[in-house]
Amino acid sequence: MLKLLGLSGSPSVKPRCSKTLIAIEMAMEFAGKFNPSVSTEIINLRDHDVQFCDGRNPEEYEGVTQEIIKKIQAADGLLVATPMYRGSYTGILKNIFDIIPNDALAGKPVGLIATAASDHHYLALEHELKPLLGFFHAFVLPGSVYINNDHYSEKTLIDVGIIDRLRQLGEGVVRLYEHLPQEALGASGPVIIRKVLTT
């Protein structure tokens, strides 16, 4: 059974007002409909008190932070969604990538969703998130979904083209997982020995 995990990086504090959360929920629903054996879960990072990265080993984090790390490690595939602020993804999402182990995403299919007020930062998906996931040796779907405010009405996603792209993304993560040979990861990264600083 494919465990598909969604990460919503929106810091929106208003209930049910996160366009990012609305989008990832729809993509996850499409994935589940495409293959009913898929197990889906969404972590809305805004709802969790995740510790800030402070350089310690990932296994040393505690509480909900450790629970999220373990869920990411246990996932077979991911959908990652973020608003675009100042041309980049959010700080709470970046913090997650800072605390997980280097091999937490290796060999896993990942689909990307971004939301923004306009189309100005469309290429941030290509220039910001895809290289980051490449560092983790994840298989990122070539096609991502970028959504602007005009695609919504009263917090409802109404653009049929965007809705269909979310369907393609959700289904695509499942399809890629079903066909991924783990031996196709390519060259491993350099071994980085973590040094413990003492005072």
Side-chain angles (χ1 to χ4, degrees):
M1 179 175 66
L2 164 62
K3 293 180 181 178
L4 184 60
L5 183 67
L7 295 178
S8 176
S10 173
S12 176
V13 297
K14 296 179 180 179
R16 301 305 307 155
C17 285
S18 169
K19 297 182 180 75
T20 305
L21 184 59
I22 291 168
I24 197 170
E25 285 177 342
M26 186 173 289
M28 293 286 277
E29 184 178 349
F30 279 127
K33 287 180 178 178
F34 177 68
N35 185 340
S37 70
V38 172
S39 168
T40 62
E41 179 183 0
I42 296 175
I43 297 175
N44 189 18
L45 295 175
R46 176 60 184 82
D47 296 338
H48 301 278
D49 187 18
V50 179
Q51 296 169 284
F52 284 112
C53 176
D54 57 13
R56 77 183 94 164
N57 287 315
E59 62 270 17
E60 294 176 3
Y61 290 95
E62 302 171 347
V64 67
T65 305
Q66 188 59 227
E67 291 175 14
I68 291 176
I69 291 173
K70 288 180 178 178
K71 285 184 178 183
I72 293 172
Q73 289 177 300
D76 298 308
L78 292 94
L79 286 173
V80 177
T82 180
M84 288 296 174
Y85 295 153
R86 306 295 189 266
S88 187
Y89 50 96
T90 61
I92 60 173
L93 183 60
K94 176 63 165 66
N95 188 54
I96 290 296
F97 289 119
D98 287 343
I99 63 175
I100 61 175
N102 288 353
D103 61 354
L105 305 178
K108 299 178 182 181
V110 180
L112 297 176
I113 300 169
T115 57
S118 71
D119 288 336
H120 284 138
H121 303 307
Y122 173 79
L123 288 177
L125 283 165
E126 303 294 327
H127 297 160
E128 299 267 347
L129 277 166
K130 286 187 177 180
L132 173 65
L133 290 162
F135 165 82
F136 286 101
H137 284 200
F139 287 102
V140 185
L141 271 68
S144 304
V145 181
Y146 187 94
I147 311 170
N148 68 42
N149 286 350
D150 292 337
H151 298 135
Y152 293 86
S153 176
E154 299 298 324
K155 308 304 178 186
T156 300
L157 192 52
I158 59 170
D159 187 282
V160 294
I162 292 295
I163 292 171
D164 190 54
R165 288 174 204 161
L166 288 171
R167 176 191 61 78
Q168 293 173 35
L169 189 73
E171 294 180 1
V173 171
V174 177
R175 289 180 190 272
L176 186 55
Y177 171 76
E178 293 172 346
H179 295 91
L180 269 180
Q182 288 302 301
E183 61 271 17
L185 274 175
S188 60
V191 175
I192 301 173
I193 300 174
R194 194 179 289 268
K195 296 180 180 180
V196 179
L197 300 178
T198 58
T199 55

